[in-house]
Structures are given as structure tokens and as C-alpha cells.
Amino acid sequence: MKRTRGAAVLAAAVLSLLPVTARADTVHPDPQPITGQQIIHDPTVLRLKSGGYVAYSTGGIIGARTSDDRVHWKDAGNAFAEPPAWWYEYNDTGDPWAPDLSYRDGRYWLYYAVSSWGTNHSAIGVATSPSGLPGTWTDHGKVFTSETTDHWNAIDPALIKADGRLWMAFGSYWSGIRMVELDPRTGKALPGAPVHHLATRPDEPYAVEGPAVVKHGRYYYLFASHDACCSGVNSTYKIKVGRSTSVTGPYTDSTGKPLLEGGGDLLLAGHGRYVGTGGQSVFRTQGQDWLAYHYYDAEDAGTPKLGLNRLSWGRDGWPSVR
């Protein structure tokens, strides 16, 4: 995400005290009530094979939260005790962003990004764990990188398997959302793999980022965050979605407008106290899809908190939140 470093994200959000006028909203649902440790940014959530849930996020050395029931959340420290040395190639504090958690081939896979504010000198890394719990991760280094000569930004990873192949969506600002194929054995980008273009905005700064790709029925759905995050109650983040019959696109919204031309159906926007909804991911548990995201709480000094809503699918195949 084109943002300040993770610790600064949380600090800036908490310090943002500008007033917001709350209002009732009949279009966008509130997140489900949760308790305990609610502070989070860019959440990725998964139900563990051992039972219970874990959420990883921007902040700390990939901040961790755990829950037995998806309602009460506890602070579980960080994914790593110390930043891997190579992270310092991309920022001075070894600060990672926007993780993505998945399970395949008997292991948990944690993808994440390291970068600095306002640059696409960035990298996506990967770690694996037998349990998915904090403190059990082994880092395997860089998956994919970008430099200032590239037209994309290698941050905000999101994994999906499609037709027996493994893909990673990524991207923030610059030219928007991209996708590259990974080697399923190593979890890293295939050498020489083409970089596909999935979504962008028509005007600079091309404010679309944080992809999540989900298969439902015969379509692949691309969820992305539009506009500005990381400014507490001044954030304008919102979540939009498009779909395609191919994982690499082209993606269009329900009107047929391509996401490469700024299209996208609005799925969730800020309302009332829930400002700047975005940084989303999708997870499935007990036969139900859920949308996880952060919002800035206008009734708590703009503190970023965890939002969870059920994701439903209409007869026309398009998703909505409940």
C-alpha cells in the first residue's frame, strides 16, 4: 500500500482527531460486533486446522491476533521475533505491510510486503509455518520485487489457485493491480513469468490497491481498495469489486465497465463511525465467506479496527455484505 510505515500508520490514525459527522446508513451494514483486541490494519484472517482463528496485519513485525470464536480477539504478539535481515534493503526499520495468509500442501503460507512511503522500490516475501501461529514462521526471502524503473509496485500480495496453477495478485498506485504466476513448490514467481494487468484508475495517482481474488461459481472476483487510506477519520478508502471468467482478466463490473478503465461495483464504503473501509481480504469458514477489513473508528479518535461481515452471493453472482 502506498502509505507510511506500519507503525506510523497506527500512530497517525490514533492521533487523527478531526471531527466527523456520524449518520445512519441504510446501504452499508455495520461490521459484526467483536470484543477484546480490535486494533488492526490490513487484516488477513484464516481458520486454523487446529481450531480457532488467526489474523495477521500491518504493524509490529506482522502483528498477530487470535480468536476462538471470531468474536473475541486477543493480542498474540508478532509473526516474527526479529525482522529478517533482507527487509532492511527496503526500509530503515524492517517494517512489513499487508500480509496474506493461506494454507496449501500441508503448510501455512504468509506473504507480505516491505517498502517505504512513496516508492516502488519494493519486495514481496514469503514465510511458511506448520501451525500458522505467531512465532512458528520460517522466512524464505523474496518472492517478487519492483524497482523505480517498473510500472508497478510489488506490495499488497494476494494468493489464489486457479486451474491447478498458483497466482499472486499485487499492486498499489503506479499502474494499479497486477498478477504474476508462482511456482507452487517454492511459492515464488516463476522466472520470466509475464506480469498481467488487472485494474487501474484513469487518472494519477491511480488510487487502487490491496487486491483480493476469490473464485465463486464460474467467475473470479477481484476486490480492491479505492482512494486514500492511513489518514484516520480523513481516510476515503472504499471497497470495489469486478469479475472475470479468467483469473488473469479482463475484469469488469456489473455494467460491463472494465476495471482497467476505473470500473468496479461499490461493495462497502465508510458510514457513520466506520470511516475508510478497506485493506480487505476474504476467508471461508464453516461453509460461509467472510470479508475482513479495517476501518477508522470516528468515535475512538480514528483508531483502526477490525471489521468483519458475511459475504453473500446474489442470484446474478455478484457479492454483497451483510
Side-chain angles (χ1 to χ4, degrees):
M1 190 173 290
K2 188 177 180 182
R3 64 181 85 162
T4 57
R5 297 181 179 93
V9 166
L10 299 183
V14 171
L15 290 173
S16 181
L17 299 175
L18 295 177
V20 167
T21 301
R23 62 178 178 83
D25 194 295
T26 59
V27 177
H28 300 292
D30 296 346
Q32 76 158 38
I34 63 173
T35 60
Q37 177 55 276
Q38 301 179 40
I39 299 174
I40 208 165
H41 209 278
D42 305 322
T44 180
V45 179
L46 197 66
R47 182 174 174 86
L48 300 174
K49 298 293 183 180
S50 58
Y53 299 83
V54 66
Y56 289 103
S57 65
T58 297
I61 314 173
I62 307 182
R65 310 282 185 263
T66 57
S67 174
D68 294 329
D69 57 7
R70 208 178 54 246
V71 175
H72 183 75
W73 292 86
K74 297 176 286 188
D75 191 335
N78 298 297
F80 297 95
E82 298 289 339
W86 70 266
W87 291 4
Y88 293 99
E89 298 175 32
Y90 295 91
N91 63 53
D92 294 337
T93 58
D95 187 14
W97 299 340
D100 176 83
L101 179 63
S102 58
Y103 180 86
R104 62 181 177 83
D105 298 334
R107 291 190 288 176
Y108 293 89
W109 298 73
L110 185 66
Y111 287 76
Y112 57 84
V114 281
S115 188
S116 297
W117 171 260
T119 179
N120 65 334
H121 171 61
S122 308
I124 292 168
V126 66
T128 58
S129 163
S131 68
L133 292 170
T136 67
W137 293 97
T138 299
D139 191 64
H140 301 290
K142 301 174 189 178
V143 169
F144 188 77
T145 65
S146 61
E147 298 299 336
T148 55
T149 53
D150 290 318
H151 298 295
W152 53 78
N153 193 7
I155 66 172
D156 293 2
L159 275 287
I160 183 170
K161 289 185 73 174
D163 300 322
R165 299 162 72 180
L166 186 63
W167 300 87
M168 180 179 71
F170 66 92
S172 167
Y173 287 68
W174 274 265
S175 61
I177 307 302
R178 300 277 182 155
M179 178 173 274
V180 67
E181 188 174 0
L182 305 183
D183 181 335
R185 182 181 60 85
T186 65
K188 298 183 178 184
L190 288 169
V195 178
H196 302 273
H197 202 183
L198 307 188
T200 191
R201 303 282 292 276
D203 301 309
E204 291 187 14
Y206 315 113
V208 54
E209 58 186 6
V213 183
V214 175
K215 179 74 179 296
H216 181 78
R218 67 188 187 94
Y219 290 102
Y220 295 92
Y221 292 81
L222 172 60
F223 300 80
S225 296
H226 283 230
D227 299 326
C229 86
C230 313
S231 299
V233 295
N234 294 312
S235 301
T236 57
Y237 242 14
K238 57 185 67 69
I239 301 169
K240 293 191 175 185
V241 63
R243 72 185 185 186
S244 172
T245 55
S246 168
V247 72
T248 57
Y251 286 85
T252 59
D253 63 22
S254 63
T255 71
K257 185 174 183 178
L259 268 60
L260 282 170
E261 298 176 9
D265 287 359
L266 181 62
L267 180 73
L268 185 65
H271 58 282
R273 69 185 292 180
Y274 309 103
V275 179
T277 54
Q280 73 290 326
S281 61
V282 177
F283 67 100
R284 188 169 181 82
T285 179
Q286 300 173 326
Q288 175 65 51
D289 292 320
W290 287 80
L291 182 74
Y293 57 94
H294 68 251
Y295 66 89
Y296 301 95
D297 190 344
E299 296 183 7
D300 189 14
T303 301
K305 295 183 179 180
L306 176 62
L308 295 171
N309 287 86
R310 288 182 60 182
L311 194 63
S312 298
W313 303 90
R315 291 184 178 179
D316 58 1
W318 287 98
S320 61
V321 289
R322 296 174 56 186

